[in-house]
Amino acid sequence: MEKEREALQAWKERVAQELDCVVAFWTAHSHDLEHGGFFTCLGRDGRVYDDLKYVWLQGRQVWMYCHLYRKFERFRRPELLDAAKAGGEFLLRCARVAPPEQKCAFTLTRDGRPVKVQRTIFSECFYAMAMDALWKATGDARYQREATEMMDQIVHWVREDPSGLGRPQLAGTPAAEPMAVPMMLLSLVAQLGEEDEALAGRYAELGDWCAGRILRHVQKDGGAVLENVSEDGRELPGCLGRHQNPGHALEAGWFLLGHASRKGDPELRAYVIKKFLLLPFRSGWDPEHGGLFYFQDAHGLCPTQLEWDMKLWWPHSEAMIAFLMGYRDSGDPALLRLFEQVAEYTFRRFRDPDNGEWFGYLNREGKVALTIKGGPFKGCFHVPRCLAMCEEMLGALLSRRARDPAAPCPPPAARAAPARRACGPPLAGQCLAPRPPRSLARARPAPHTGPLRAGAARPGGGSGGRALPPGGRPAARLLFRRRPRDPVSGSDLGRPGVASERSGRGLRDHALRDPRSPPP
């Protein structure tokens, strides 16, 4: 118990020191004092190499500054809030392409003229997050109105009529649902409902809907979290349907853990830890060099993305949050060990002790591939959010231990009575739910009864649904041959999405893509 407390204290100090360095990098180099907003295209030493501004990164930095200002005494500085307000006012003036329409640009010139629009919801989502954070930090009702109006527009696009996004409905386009959409909405539900009972109640049903849609991405008989499913929650054919992103699954995991905590649902929490934390980590962690693969193929085929085996900053940031949150909420020491494993790799490989902040893009061996500190996808968000959230959680864990060294984790008030199981009470630390919670269970696809041919996939997936090339043998050697097991109970976690042998190395900066920001 004392050893565990010492480990928590050491990590809290290490994380807090790193957060200070990261925030100092962005406050020193990113502020545009002439036009407002932030530069995000920063080189290794913080010098601006491009003055284009990306709306989703502007919103993220506003949110980050407001969060730091509100949650940490040492960041409650007027200059930090003033920078957030300047960024927010830049968004109010320039983000919308054709006011009063709500559609936001993706890219702006330095002085705020639109350059590019994406046919997605993500610029608008981070606009709403920024406005809500400014409302909470300043009390200015203008910002709250902006946040709720944009939120209602996003919900309309997602659940009623997407035509306002401008995406053409082509005859051959599959009716796919990417996991990023309900994830982003669930994050907004948590943001707008924080410390606001009225908005929390207003968006409660939406939160349940989002959680249910995310859970439908657990496929392959529970053995994989897929990035894309059909609109009715079934597996899709081809590369699109087999696509996996371990870091994104882990991020979805901690979003769902937050939802489970708000609802007081231990069954959902246990299921999420098993399927969205342990499963993607066991299949996505590189056993040879360490770190999380960026992309994987659920059938072990070679992914088509050039950067599939790279190690990127944000999946590791999300993994740190997910495992520490899982430990905080469940008390499972195995999750603390996984947090430490990811954090040690991340601090050793990504951080730049000479110039501050973290590198974003490493090759498979963990060497820096791109020396930039920011760009169209990396800004003042994933790294400081990870460090801030981890510092907060570590502080809460240490405070709990200080009040009562023998207190269980989580505290008794946070525990609801576990669901009864036919096989008797669960073992200590064991996952309670081998299947989706009943309240959010999805309809399962009908079983396939015909023969399975080489080169064909079983309709609806399933354990026998692995697509094979002609000849009936896998096209690439598998790096993982054993099925992953739960580190606590030893139970089988299902067939993982396995990474294949590495492919070509001809990577260029323009080839890097963020899966949550598809091209228009």
Side-chain angles (χ1 to χ4, degrees):
M1 221 40 174
E2 180 61 22
K3 185 177 180 181
E4 200 168 276
R5 189 200 65 78
E6 291 175 357
L8 295 173
Q9 182 63 45
W11 274 112
K12 182 176 183 294
E13 294 171 3
R14 190 174 180 183
V15 163
Q17 182 179 8
E18 187 65 16
L19 177 60
D20 291 346
C21 293
V22 168
V23 173
F25 179 90
W26 291 101
T27 55
H29 302 298
S30 71
H31 297 180
D32 184 350
L33 301 180
E34 181 179 352
H35 295 285
F38 310 102
F39 300 114
T40 60
C41 294
L42 305 180
R44 179 173 191 161
D45 60 359
R47 280 184 285 187
V48 178
Y49 65 84
D50 196 330
D51 63 7
L52 289 174
K53 293 175 179 175
Y54 300 89
V55 168
W56 66 339
L57 297 186
Q58 302 296 307
R60 286 170 166 180
Q61 192 156 347
V62 169
W63 177 88
M64 193 70 246
Y65 280 6
C66 290
H67 181 84
L68 293 170
Y69 181 84
R70 293 176 57 231
K71 300 291 186 178
F72 294 83
E73 186 65 36
R74 69 183 187 274
F75 291 118
R76 200 160 294 157
R77 306 193 300 257
E79 60 270 23
L80 196 66
L81 183 59
D82 288 343
K85 290 163 66 177
E89 293 300 323
F90 178 80
L91 287 171
L92 285 171
R93 290 195 312 272
C94 307
R96 290 186 179 87
V97 178
E101 296 299 320
Q102 299 279 40
K103 192 73 187 84
C104 291
F106 179 69
T107 311
L108 303 169
T109 61
R110 179 183 177 185
D111 59 1
R113 288 170 291 142
V115 173
K116 180 181 178 181
V117 175
Q118 283 195 331
R119 296 158 181 172
T120 65
I121 62 169
F122 302 112
S123 291
E124 293 78 12
C125 286
F126 288 105
Y127 178 97
M129 279 185 66
M131 294 300 139
D132 184 77
L134 279 169
W135 147 247
K136 289 181 168 68
T138 67
D140 188 334
R142 287 185 306 140
Y143 297 129
Q144 188 186 42
R145 286 195 301 271
E146 287 288 331
T148 54
E149 288 175 7
M150 184 62 81
M151 178 68 165
D152 292 343
Q153 178 64 74
I154 294 167
V155 173
H156 175 78
W157 284 331
V158 171
R159 299 186 69 175
E160 297 179 31
D161 181 11
S163 62
L165 296 172
R167 189 183 302 124
Q169 300 297 310
L170 303 178
T173 303
E177 180 175 280
M179 190 166 64
V181 172
M183 277 181 63
M184 193 66 245
L185 276 179
L186 185 59
S187 177
L188 281 175
V189 167
Q191 170 66 33
L192 272 66
E194 182 193 14
E195 300 176 11
D196 191 323
E197 290 185 8
L199 286 181
R202 176 175 170 178
Y203 295 123
E205 182 275 333
L206 177 62
D208 290 339
W209 180 86
C210 293
R213 304 293 279 205
I214 297 170
L215 291 171
R216 299 198 310 179
H217 288 258
V218 178
Q219 297 284 342
K220 306 292 181 189
D221 281 351
V225 179
L226 302 178
E227 277 294 297
N228 303 287
V229 295
S230 69
E231 289 182 342
D232 61 352
R234 297 173 183 266
E235 293 179 30
L236 294 167
C239 294
L240 181 69
R242 301 193 306 271
H243 181 54
Q244 291 181 282
N245 184 328
H248 213 202
L250 286 157
E251 185 179 20
W254 72 259
F255 286 8
L256 288 169
L257 284 177
H259 182 71
S261 178
R262 291 188 294 274
K263 294 185 70 66
D265 189 341
E267 186 184 8
L268 176 60
R269 180 188 69 208
Y271 181 79
V272 168
I273 288 173
K274 185 173 184 178
K275 297 300 185 184
F276 285 85
L277 272 61
L278 299 177
L279 184 61
F281 179 78
R282 293 306 183 197
S283 67
W285 188 260
D286 184 344
E288 184 176 352
H289 299 287
L292 289 164
F293 289 114
Y294 195 25
F295 297 130
Q296 293 183 284
D297 184 288
H299 289 170
L301 304 177
C302 181
T304 58
Q305 298 88 353
L306 297 180
E307 68 273 28
W308 72 268
D309 65 349
M310 289 184 72
K311 314 297 168 60
L312 270 66
W313 83 104
W314 70 262
H316 296 79
S317 300
E318 305 307 328
M320 287 174 60
I321 297 171
F323 286 124
L324 191 57
M325 188 179 294
Y327 169 69
R328 180 200 67 185
D329 293 351
S330 71
D332 182 351
L335 297 175
L336 179 60
R337 291 193 293 271
L338 291 175
F339 162 78
E340 292 177 319
Q341 179 180 338
V342 175
E344 287 289 359
Y345 175 91
T346 302
F347 273 68
R348 185 173 68 253
R349 297 293 188 179
F350 286 97
R351 67 186 295 268
D352 180 358
D354 299 322
N355 298 285
E357 242 290 343
W358 294 2
F359 298 109
Y361 304 91
L362 313 179
N363 65 16
R364 181 178 174 186
E365 290 75 26
K367 298 176 181 178
V368 176
L370 299 175
T371 59
I372 59 174
K373 295 293 178 56
F377 305 113
K378 185 177 185 294
C380 181
F381 185 62
H382 287 101
V383 176
R385 179 177 72 168
C386 164
L387 296 170
M389 290 185 66
C390 287
E391 183 180 343
E392 290 177 275
M393 288 188 283
L394 289 162
L397 287 164
L398 287 165
S399 296
R400 184 186 304 166
R401 294 290 173 82
R403 290 194 303 270
D404 183 0
C409 178
R415 291 180 184 263
R420 295 186 61 185
R421 296 177 9 162
C423 58
L427 300 176
Q430 189 175 18
C431 290
L432 295 173
R435 58 189 179 276
R438 287 184 296 275
S439 60
L440 295 167
R442 60 176 175 81
R444 299 188 61 82
H448 177 66
T449 57
L452 183 66
R453 303 181 306 276
R458 189 181 301 277
S463 59
R466 177 174 176 174
L468 300 177
R473 301 192 63 178
R477 178 178 64 85
L478 301 183
L479 290 176
F480 289 86
R481 295 185 181 278
R482 295 183 179 178
R483 295 158 69 96
R485 308 192 75 82
D486 188 313
V488 178
S489 65
S491 61
D492 194 338
L493 290 176
R495 196 185 76 78
V498 285
S500 63
E501 196 170 24
R502 68 176 280 110
S503 56
R505 299 172 178 263
L507 179 69
R508 293 294 182 268
D509 187 11
H510 68 269
L512 292 169
R513 298 181 300 278
D514 190 302
R516 294 166 293 181
S517 178

